[in-house]
Amino acid sequence: MPRRRLERIIVCIKQVPKAQELQVDPVTQTLKRVGVPSEINPPDANALEMALQLKDRHGAELVVLSMGPTSFDESLERSVAMGADRAVLLTDRILGGSDTVPTAYALSETIQKIGGYSLLLCGEETTDASTGHVGPGIAGHLDLPQLTYISEIRIEGDTVRARRTAEDGTEWWQTTMPCLGTVNFGCNRPREPTLTGKIRVKRGGVVTHWSCADVGIDPRKVGLLNSPTIVAKVDTVRLPPRAGKIFDGDAREAVRQLLSALRDDGVIRA
Amino acid sequence: MTDARALEDKSHFRGVWVFLEHRKQGLRDVSIQLIGESRRLADLRDTTLTGVLPGHGVDGLARDAIGFGMDRVIVVDDPILEIYRSRPYAQVMAQLIRRHKPEIVLYGASKNGRDLGGRLHAILETGLAADCVKFDIDADGNLDMIRPSFGGKSLAHILCKKHRPQMASVRRNVFVAPRRDPSRTGEVVRETVELTPGDEDVSLVEFREFTNEPGRRPDDAEIVVSGGFGLGDSKNFAMLQELAELLGGAVAASRKAVDSGWVPKMLQVGQTGMTVRPKVYIAIGISGAVQHLAGMQESERIVVINLDAKAPLFEIADYGIVGDLFEVVPEMIRQLKSLKAGESGPLTEVPAAAR
């Protein structure tokens, strides 16, 4: 159904370990994940901010959607405190271990159940899995026009114009709603939760939990066993050792030694 | 797997395919780089290598791709396909894949490649591994798709055992472009795919090309001078620009510098930015989050300049200077300038006593 105006925006978010807090264990060379605080996947926070700005301008309803364990309520509640109208969490044990194919399918079904959407927004990728496949996957499932890597959006009637950053230039694309956009990481500054928003969250009832049965998701199409890809094994990367030569002395002497070392290595000509 | 989803017995799927991305009447370099690696995979699987080239008036590019190592190029020519658009390109790929049943389909992990792969893998309901850095064939003949996991400190081996085709994307500059042999022969096949005007569901209303903005692209440069949060201000990047120009390199930045609005996103190195592997990467005022390492740890030489001796990036440095970048960088500029002056002729500096 074509939408004549912006009525409902659905923003898909994921909760991820806080990127800045991640450190590598010097002994095992793996990432320390235990006790790392969570955050809204940063590109998704940019998508949410873009949606909030559209809501400010056009007065649309803003629904935030996620899929994951109930600990994800934290990010959904934060989204409402920032200004979203309500949130939906698709949460079900059978979804565990889903790769991007079941994830895009399950989110698409949930979006259909929410219904009435004019615009879907996702972040360009997540900072934990960093595939960028779920947004376009949803557009594929729902057969919607898609515009990826956008950093600005303008809406007039049923027409959407968006600025996309490609490798070699800036593109302005036009399409009609309903459509899906994936939003460039860092294209805006996500706002802080407001006091009224926090009060709304505190009153409760802002996040609706749905199971796969609630949505009508086929259990044979989700979860680890129904995901096309598996992680067969993970190798730790031992980076080749490097010289680690620190040049001491005053700036003048240190720079002289540095430039001469680089010249001796044949990597600079100067 | 439910019967509706599995395309059919996977043994019917043969051949390695590469999506050939192009612009301005040239193949994208990421596509050319992919041809070399996919040639190796096709030979390992003892099968043919096919390029898929949707476009308009692209026969010359098909011949180029054969020169780079393709056995066959399928050209789908339609005015709708003149520029990349998600829906018609996904239609072409989905219909051709259903028609010919390749076992492997590879894409460049460019913006368009990821846009296409993401849409397509949901339509075909098959596996897609993003940003692979290495491939292998396992004992059962599956494609072992190897990609960095979170931050690049480990490598995950992804398998797609039951579904076909097995799909993966590869970032630019991961594989080396093969040499083109103009005498190499292959087959150019023109195929038609059902497209309707409705498939043109997005239109490009404006395109502004990045034209040689000051400096070169960091992922094309042999020397990269990269600035981080320690720079403190956008205007301090002018100093890095000057240093980069003296070295014949390009300026890049960390995510924190980009987030602070000092430099455009297109200069960002790291997990959500670009991957570079220059001869020298000079990290200035960058502490070195794992996500940054993912974008530069393959550099031939890594130089770290930071006031904080405990900055994690020092751990992977070849050379380091623990010091104030606002002293060290101007000193580098000064010394490079005087070296340059020395190159162009005898030193003209006259000792004070002789004046």
Side-chain angles (χ1 to χ4, degrees), chain A residues 77-84 191-204 206:
Chain A
E77 285 173 351
R78 185 180 169 86
S79 307
V80 172
M82 286 165 73
R191 63 192 67 184
E192 291 299 315
T194 63
L195 185 62
T196 43
K198 285 182 186 167
I199 292 168
R200 277 196 59 219
V201 169
K202 212 152 206 176
R203 285 205 197 107
V206 296

Side-chain angles (χ1 to χ4, degrees), chain A residues 13-242:
Chain A
I13 69 164
K14 184 181 183 185
Q15 185 166 303
V16 296
K18 219 173 193 160
Q20 286 93 330
E21 308 279 339
L22 278 174
Q23 288 190 332
V24 178
D25 186 312
V27 180
T28 63
Q29 291 285 308
T30 56
L31 288 165
K32 296 184 208 165
R33 283 172 183 266
V34 182
V36 176
S38 298
E39 64 179 348
I40 298 173
N41 172 51
D44 297 345
N46 293 123
L48 178 59
E49 176 58 35
M50 185 181 274
L52 286 164
Q53 288 176 15
L54 287 172
K55 177 180 158 66
D56 292 344
R57 201 171 313 138
H58 302 275
E61 190 202 18
L62 203 175
V63 183
V64 179
L65 167 64
S66 193
M67 167 178 144
T70 52
S71 59
F72 279 27
D73 280 353
E74 184 191 332
S75 291
L76 291 170
E77 285 173 351
R78 185 180 169 86
S79 307
V80 172
M82 286 165 73
D85 292 286
R86 60 192 174 97
V88 173
L89 178 67
L90 176 66
T91 185
D92 201 315
R93 261 160 203 267
I94 64 168
L95 293 165
S98 293
D99 74 5
T100 56
V101 171
T103 302
Y105 157 72
L107 286 171
S108 301
E109 294 294 308
T110 314
I111 288 163
Q112 299 268 53
K113 182 172 164 77
I114 296 169
Y117 55 87
S118 321
L119 178 67
L120 305 176
L121 292 178
C122 307
E124 62 168 289
E125 64 177 50
T126 57
T127 53
D128 58 352
S130 92
T131 70
H133 294 163
V134 173
I138 293 170
H141 269 294
L142 298 175
D143 202 25
L144 295 173
Q146 82 188 41
L147 292 174
T148 49
Y149 305 99
I150 63 173
S151 48
E152 199 181 331
I153 194 165
R154 289 175 200 161
I155 292 178
E156 222 181 280
D158 69 344
T159 303
V160 173
R161 274 191 181 215
R163 182 161 60 93
R164 178 179 194 251
T165 315
E167 284 86 352
D168 39 37
T170 301
E171 308 164 341
W172 274 97
W173 289 90
Q174 184 172 309
T175 188
T176 47
M177 295 190 290
C179 61
L180 177 139
T182 76
V183 177
N184 256 357
F185 175 47
C187 70
N188 55 34
R189 286 177 178 259
R191 63 192 67 184
E192 291 299 315
T194 63
L195 185 62
T196 43
K198 285 182 186 167
I199 292 168
R200 277 196 59 219
V201 169
K202 212 152 206 176
R203 285 205 197 107
V206 296
V207 182
T208 307
H209 287 185
W210 282 340
S211 67
C212 286
D214 292 336
V215 177
I217 288 165
D218 184 347
R220 291 165 303 174
K221 294 178 77 167
V222 294
L224 182 67
L225 292 175
N226 298 310
S227 292
T229 59
I230 52 154
V231 178
K233 63 171 176 167
V234 177
D235 295 334
T236 299
V237 182
R238 296 241 173 229
L239 293 171
R242 294 193 181 250

Side-chain angles (χ1 to χ4, degrees), chain A residues 17 19-20 22-24 29-31 33 39 42-43 99-102 104 124-134 136-141 143-149 161 164-176 184-186 189 218 220-222 225-239 241-249 251-259 261-263 265-270, chain B residues 1-2 5 23 28 83-87 109-112 114-119 121-123 125-131 145 147 149-163 169 201-210 217 222-223 246-247 255-256 259-261 265-266 268 271-272 279-280 282 290-291 293 296-303 305 314 316-322 327-328 331-332 334-336 339-340 343:
Chain A
Q20 286 93 330
L22 278 174
Q23 288 190 332
V24 178
Q29 291 285 308
T30 56
L31 288 165
R33 283 172 183 266
E39 64 179 348
D99 74 5
T100 56
V101 171
E124 62 168 289
E125 64 177 50
T126 57
T127 53
D128 58 352
S130 92
T131 70
H133 294 163
V134 173
I138 293 170
H141 269 294
D143 202 25
L144 295 173
Q146 82 188 41
L147 292 174
T148 49
Y149 305 99
R161 274 191 181 215
R164 178 179 194 251
T165 315
E167 284 86 352
D168 39 37
T170 301
E171 308 164 341
W172 274 97
W173 289 90
Q174 184 172 309
T175 188
T176 47
N184 256 357
F185 175 47
R189 286 177 178 259
D218 184 347
R220 291 165 303 174
K221 294 178 77 167
V222 294
L225 292 175
N226 298 310
S227 292
T229 59
I230 52 154
V231 178
K233 63 171 176 167
V234 177
D235 295 334
T236 299
V237 182
R238 296 241 173 229
L239 293 171
R242 294 193 181 250
K245 173 92 188 100
I246 304 291
F247 300 112
D248 295 319
R252 187 176 184 154
E253 180 54 23
V255 166
R256 196 191 60 74
Q257 289 188 37
L258 169 66
L259 294 179
L262 290 173
R263 226 177 5 247
D265 291 345
V267 287
I268 65 168
R269 276 188 296 273
Chain B
M1 204 41 45
T2 53
R5 294 181 69 202
R23 76 177 283 269
R28 286 247 193 200
I83 55 167
Y84 175 79
R85 287 185 183 89
S86 317
R87 184 196 298 266
S110 58
K111 301 277 165 84
N112 292 346
R114 281 171 146 223
D115 179 292
L116 173 66
R119 187 173 182 106
H121 90 307
I123 294 171
E125 301 192 27
T126 191
L128 171 61
D131 294 349
M145 303 178 275
R147 68 178 301 246
S149 60
F150 212 167
K153 274 284 172 176
S154 47
L155 288 174
H157 293 251
I158 314 281
L159 294 177
C160 175
K161 288 182 174 173
K162 293 182 198 156
H163 295 67
S169 70
D201 62 352
V202 292
S203 48
L204 183 63
V205 289
E206 195 189 309
F207 176 64
R208 202 166 291 167
E209 192 169 359
F210 298 139
R217 287 173 51 143
E222 289 196 340
I223 295 177
L246 282 165
L247 290 166
R255 177 186 142 184
K256 266 188 158 179
D259 275 6
S260 306
K265 162 95 178 155
M266 56 176 287
Q268 187 190 321
Q271 192 175 308
T272 47
K279 282 189 169 173
V280 187
I282 306 179
V290 284
Q291 290 84 357
L293 266 57
M296 46 65 75
Q297 63 194 11
E298 306 270 332
S299 304
E300 200 174 313
R301 286 285 181 280
I302 295 172
V303 176
I305 297 166
F314 277 117
I316 61 158
D318 291 287
Y319 305 123
I321 295 178
V322 180
E327 282 176 28
V328 175
E331 180 61 27
M332 286 179 83
R334 200 190 63 76
Q335 291 193 21
L336 284 166
L339 285 165
K340 281 240 153 77
E343 258 169 30

